Amino acid sequence: MKMEQLIPDHAAPDRIMRDMTTVLSCPAQTEEACAHLARQDKALSALITRVGPPRLTISLEQSPFEALIRAIAHQQLHARAAEAILARFLALFPVNTDFPSPLEIMALDTETLRQCGFSGTKIIALRGVCEAAQGGIIPDRSGCTALDDETLIQRLTTLRGIGRWTVEMLMIFTLGRTDILPVDDFGVREGWRLIKGLESQPRPKILADIGQSWSPWRSLAAWYLWRAADEAKKIPRPPPSEPATSRERLLRAKP
């Protein structure tokens, strides 16, 4: 018997198809992934049909170190506010150069970082990430390929200001891993609530259990659930009731 026959079907792609960019660049693989997800749940299938092929963007040029620095800037802020902080931060360094190195960032004093918009807590987190990068705790892209998902999460969440969700975003959008389901993400849970017509969001543990069948394409499932949450934001609210309508309701309410 061949070795690959000893590996369960659901486990093999986790080792073979770690690069989402390869999947997205191959229509046949993308179709296969979407078909797998669609088979698991009718509501998810309807969502995939409505949204169409995935348009997930992977930041191939971004290092894990850069992704973590950017993630710290974005924590608890609207995207536009975070990007403004990053723009002021990057303006401190020469134009047309790569992302600043850990040593270059560590050379900045606290006041300079505060003027960019970083809070005291984020400054401490920035410096911690820089020290970890210098100490080899944060691997480069090639080093990440040697670490499975949970090992990478455990390793990076030892850093101050870096939680599981931040590492999961790095694994999806920087490393392009195909089988990440960020169950602590509000948008992912809200998307599932919406497509299933639930009164409340599922607890992370419950959604994690549901998502087991989506493997090895849970990153794509998360992307579709984010789209479901985005769709709901675009639905216009009903206009305020006209006075006549309000009166009719009052009349109907009378005994």
Side-chain angles (χ1 to χ4, degrees):
M1 181 179 294
K2 294 182 180 180
M3 182 61 69
E4 57 264 27
Q5 292 178 307
L6 298 175
I7 303 175
D9 290 341
H10 71 275
D14 182 61
R15 297 302 303 172
I16 298 171
M17 296 183 183
R18 285 184 175 272
D19 183 5
M20 182 71 76
T21 57
T22 301
V23 177
L24 296 176
S25 64
C26 177
Q29 289 189 22
T30 303
E31 186 175 334
E32 174 192 341
C34 291
H36 171 80
L37 295 175
R39 287 193 296 270
Q40 311 311 312
D41 184 87
K42 290 183 179 179
L44 187 56
S45 176
L47 174 64
I48 292 170
T49 300
R50 185 167 69 251
V51 173
R55 300 175 299 278
L56 185 60
T57 301
I58 309 300
S59 300
L60 294 174
E61 76 289 347
Q62 202 172 83
S63 70
F65 167 72
E66 177 182 348
L68 292 177
I69 294 294
R70 289 182 179 274
I72 291 171
H74 277 265
Q75 287 172 353
Q76 300 178 328
L77 288 178
H78 189 279
R80 289 183 180 178
E83 288 301 323
I85 290 173
L86 285 168
R88 290 192 291 268
F89 169 70
L90 294 174
L92 299 173
F93 303 93
V95 182
N96 299 325
T97 60
D98 293 332
F99 193 81
S101 69
L103 288 177
E104 289 175 317
I105 297 174
M106 291 171 68
L108 298 175
D109 58 48
T110 299
E111 184 56 32
T112 299
L113 290 170
R114 282 190 182 277
Q115 289 176 0
C116 291
F118 291 107
S119 65
T121 301
K122 289 188 176 183
I123 291 172
I124 293 173
L126 285 176
R127 289 175 173 160
V129 167
C130 290
E131 291 172 0
Q134 282 295 106
I137 295 175
I138 301 175
D140 57 17
R141 293 185 72 97
S142 61
C144 286
T145 60
L147 303 175
D148 62 35
D149 299 336
E150 284 303 319
T151 300
L152 188 57
I153 288 171
Q154 291 174 12
R155 183 165 175 171
L156 296 183
T157 53
T158 60
L159 307 179
R160 181 167 180 170
I162 304 299
R164 183 183 182 92
W165 178 88
T166 299
V167 184
E168 288 172 335
M169 295 303 102
L170 180 153
M171 291 193 293
I172 294 174
F173 296 105
T174 300
L175 301 180
R177 296 198 176 183
T178 65
D179 203 25
I180 308 299
L181 182 61
V183 295
D184 294 313
D185 186 275
F186 177 90
V188 169
R189 297 200 313 275
E190 181 66 5
W192 183 251
R193 183 191 75 79
L194 290 166
I195 68 171
K196 299 298 287 185
L198 304 175
E199 292 186 1
S200 60
Q201 293 185 356
R203 294 181 179 179
K205 176 65 168 61
I206 292 175
L207 187 56
D209 290 341
I210 293 170
Q212 287 293 330
S213 66
W214 304 340
S215 182
W217 309 112
R218 286 180 287 187
S219 299
L220 282 181
W223 184 86
Y224 278 107
L225 294 177
W226 278 317
R227 301 291 73 74
D230 288 344
E231 283 181 345
K233 295 176 185 177
K234 297 176 183 178
I235 298 175
R237 295 182 180 180
S241 299
E242 295 295 331
T245 305
S246 298
R247 286 196 296 271
E248 289 171 0
R249 289 176 179 171
L250 287 172
L251 288 172
R252 286 197 297 268
K254 289 184 177 181

